[in-house]
Amino acid sequence: MKLCISLDLPTAKENLELVKKIKNFDVWLKVGFRSYIRDGKKFLEDLKAINPDFKIFLDLKLYDIPNTMADAAEEIAKFGLVDMFNVHASSGVNAMTTVMNRIKDIPNKPLVLAVTALTSFDNDSFKEIYNQDIASKATQFAKDTFISKIDGVVCSAYESLDIKNNTSENFITLCPGIRPFGEDSGDQKRVADLQFSKENKVDFIVVGRPVYKSDKPREVVEKILANI
Ligand code: C5P
């Protein structure tokens, strides 16, 4: 299991200070809307400058018509800085296949994941939109993702095992909403701790606020790594 830390702080300076504190750890860094919209590609370069071995997950959740998604995916892959990025599974098999075909020959192409159900949904709010329970729809999205030759999915730890059983053991599951030692869940609804994540064969845990809001982020990361 790998640890991926969300860099969702209000300024690039604060994010970079956090990253410097954890620069000797074997972790992935997740750059999402907030940081990427504000700080762009330069921020990715600054992260790699702190430690070139950091792996970067660009969490922009692409969702558009197939050609527009493939254009964006191609630009991301050509950066040569991004190790993993994501799209929405609800964009459909055609869009996801178009993305994978477009980037297949780019050297060092990043891993690609597809978002199934956001971890901020509880079952009722999810059903209002998709008219189906989270568990069954997330697995359906995962099967669509798998046949599109995408590398894995973003899901909650509650769906990880069922998704692997319905696709492949090697199909990556990346799970946000992780509260390693039972910390406050914030706006996340389907939260899980480290033990549950391990039992459910999660490949990547994403941890944001429990690390970046802590006064001692280094210690928190060290403790998480010691327990995974
Ligand atoms: O602070 P917290 O640990 O809840 O952060 C979770 C991170 O994972 C946030 O950056 C959020 O955007 C992201 N994320 C998520 N649920 C998804 C996909 C990404 O919470 N399905």
Side-chain angles (χ1 to χ4, degrees):
M1 198 157 76
K2 295 260 175 217
L3 170 62
C4 185
I5 297 169
S6 300
L7 302 177
D8 293 333
L9 284 161
T11 63
K13 187 168 175 278
E14 288 164 279
N15 279 318
L16 293 171
E17 271 164 16
L18 169 68
V19 170
K20 280 179 197 151
K21 287 183 193 153
I22 55 170
K23 75 172 186 182
N24 297 321
F25 293 120
D26 178 18
V27 291
W28 284 63
L29 303 174
K30 185 175 89 64
V31 178
F33 289 152
R34 185 175 203 174
S35 295
Y36 193 73
I37 288 169
R38 191 186 52 225
D39 306 315
K41 186 182 170 202
K42 163 88 170 54
F43 183 60
L44 308 181
E45 291 164 348
D46 290 346
L47 295 174
K48 290 276 188 184
I50 293 173
N51 180 350
D53 292 334
F54 276 140
K55 301 275 190 198
I56 296 180
F57 169 33
L58 188 61
D59 180 20
L60 297 183
K61 304 184 180 71
L62 304 181
Y63 183 88
D64 210 309
I65 59 171
N67 185 61
T68 304
M69 284 175 64
D71 287 346
E74 182 182 341
E75 296 302 336
I76 291 170
K78 286 197 313 206
F79 279 170
L81 292 162
V82 173
D83 301 283
M84 183 158 74
F85 70 93
N86 58 359
V87 301
H88 267 286
S90 56
S91 62
V93 171
N94 182 18
M96 292 191 281
T97 307
T98 307
V99 164
M100 295 314 275
N101 283 337
R102 181 74 74 83
I103 65 170
K104 69 178 189 309
D105 296 325
I106 297 179
N108 303 320
K109 81 175 168 63
L111 293 169
V112 186
L113 305 180
V115 178
T116 56
L118 296 172
T119 39
S120 54
F121 278 126
D122 59 22
N123 202 44
D124 287 344
S125 49
F126 184 85
K127 239 175 153 172
E128 271 175 31
I129 300 173
Y130 294 99
N131 223 355
Q132 209 173 322
D133 287 322
I134 288 181
S136 60
K137 189 68 188 172
T139 301
Q140 181 58 52
F141 276 144
K143 286 183 186 166
D144 292 347
T145 303
F146 186 65
I147 61 169
S148 307
K149 304 252 182 327
I150 283 204
D151 303 289
V153 286
V154 182
C155 61
S156 89
Y158 295 87
E159 293 109 39
S160 172
L161 204 51
D162 195 47
I163 285 174
K164 283 188 183 267
N165 288 338
N166 278 279
T167 55
S168 152
E169 181 86 355
N170 299 325
F171 194 55
I172 298 168
T173 56
L174 174 140
C175 302
I178 304 299
R179 296 296 176 258
F181 308 105
E183 298 88 338
D184 178 31
S185 57
D187 59 346
Q188 299 282 21
K189 294 288 189 294
R190 298 185 338 280
V191 296
D193 63 14
L194 286 187
Q195 187 57 33
F196 187 85
S197 305
K198 274 195 255 185
E199 286 164 9
N200 287 276
K201 299 195 176 160
V202 171
D203 295 297
F204 287 86
I205 52 167
V206 177
V207 184
R209 285 162 286 187
V211 170
Y212 71 73
K213 292 216 161 177
S214 162
D215 297 335
K216 295 185 172 159
R218 206 193 133 80
E219 279 84 343
V220 177
V221 170
E222 204 163 20
K223 191 171 164 200
I224 295 172
L225 290 175
N227 283 279
I228 60 178

